[in-house]
Amino acid sequence: MAVYFMPIPNTTQAPKFDGHFVEDFLEDIEMHLNRANIVDEDQRVGCITRYSTEAIRQRIALLPEFNRSKNGKTWDEASTLLIDIYGDVDKSRPLPFAAFEEWIREQAGKPVFRCKAQVNAYYIAFMSKGQPLVDANLLVASHRRRKISCAAWTRRATICARSRIPSRV
């Protein structure tokens, strides 16, 4: 039977928490903990701080859920608190609708697409700006009177354009 150890912090194999993608970090660190067969809750929680950047470590080290000098910590409490603190960092924040409309006007003034790469770049930019508005019901709500969903229309237009535009010019 193979014996696994936790990766050495700050090496390429080691997870590193920098304040972003907290749930991914916790999932990764938990996989390493399970593979290394570490079941002691205090040790598991200690790995959260150990595999965090120095700045994160300084912020959370003295919180009761992470304090290394105290026993009786639990993974559930520590991971829940970490998600509470950092969970919103990477959530998309919609542009104000006026800024989105302005971006669309700017794009409309640009030359027509000449290759699929341009269509794809536009599609990615549009969806990264527009989808948070759709998710927050801001895009559809503002167009309800005209019964237009800008995101759905642009998707169809982009898909149609992809089939008609050559890959390269």
Side-chain angles (χ1 to χ4, degrees):
M1 179 175 185
V3 176
Y4 294 102
F5 299 98
M6 289 295 289
I8 298 169
N10 300 315
T11 60
T12 57
Q13 296 267 316
K16 186 73 161 185
F17 183 58
D18 62 359
H20 295 278
F21 306 107
V22 64
E23 291 177 12
D24 291 343
F25 165 74
L26 289 170
E27 190 175 303
D28 291 348
I29 199 87
E30 197 164 22
M31 284 190 286
H32 281 286
L33 290 165
N34 291 340
R35 186 179 77 170
N37 201 27
I38 296 173
V39 293
D40 179 81
E41 292 282 315
D42 287 323
Q43 283 183 329
R44 291 173 77 87
V45 171
C47 285
I48 292 175
T49 54
R50 180 115 176 142
Y51 290 92
S52 295
T53 63
E54 186 63 31
I56 300 293
R57 197 176 301 159
Q58 288 176 357
R59 284 186 204 124
I60 66 173
L62 296 178
L63 297 173
E65 292 84 357
F66 296 100
N67 192 331
R68 286 181 168 231
S69 65
K70 298 187 180 190
N71 291 329
K73 297 178 290 289
T74 68
W75 176 265
D76 289 340
E77 289 175 359
S79 60
T80 299
L81 179 62
L82 204 64
I83 291 169
D84 285 347
I85 294 171
Y86 293 101
D88 288 338
V89 170
D90 298 308
K91 290 197 174 151
S92 60
R93 290 168 182 81
L95 280 175
F97 189 75
F100 180 66
E101 283 184 318
E102 179 60 30
W103 181 82
I104 290 173
R105 276 191 222 87
E106 287 172 12
Q107 299 305 308
K110 291 185 176 181
V112 296
F113 300 130
R114 296 186 44 99
C115 65
K116 283 186 181 180
Q118 291 173 334
V119 173
N120 292 338
Y122 170 77
Y123 178 71
I124 290 168
F126 178 87
M127 292 310 294
S128 67
K129 293 173 186 342
Q131 193 61 46
L133 291 167
V134 172
D135 292 345
N137 292 323
L138 298 174
L139 184 60
V140 174
S142 65
H143 287 89
R144 237 179 233 150
R145 279 177 270 155
R146 291 181 272 164
K147 305 264 190 214
I148 295 173
S149 169
C150 225
W153 180 85
T154 301
R155 269 190 194 164
R156 284 194 298 274
T158 303
I159 290 167
C160 290
R162 281 184 182 155
S163 64
R164 294 186 194 125
I165 296 176
S167 320
R168 298 176 191 256
V169 174

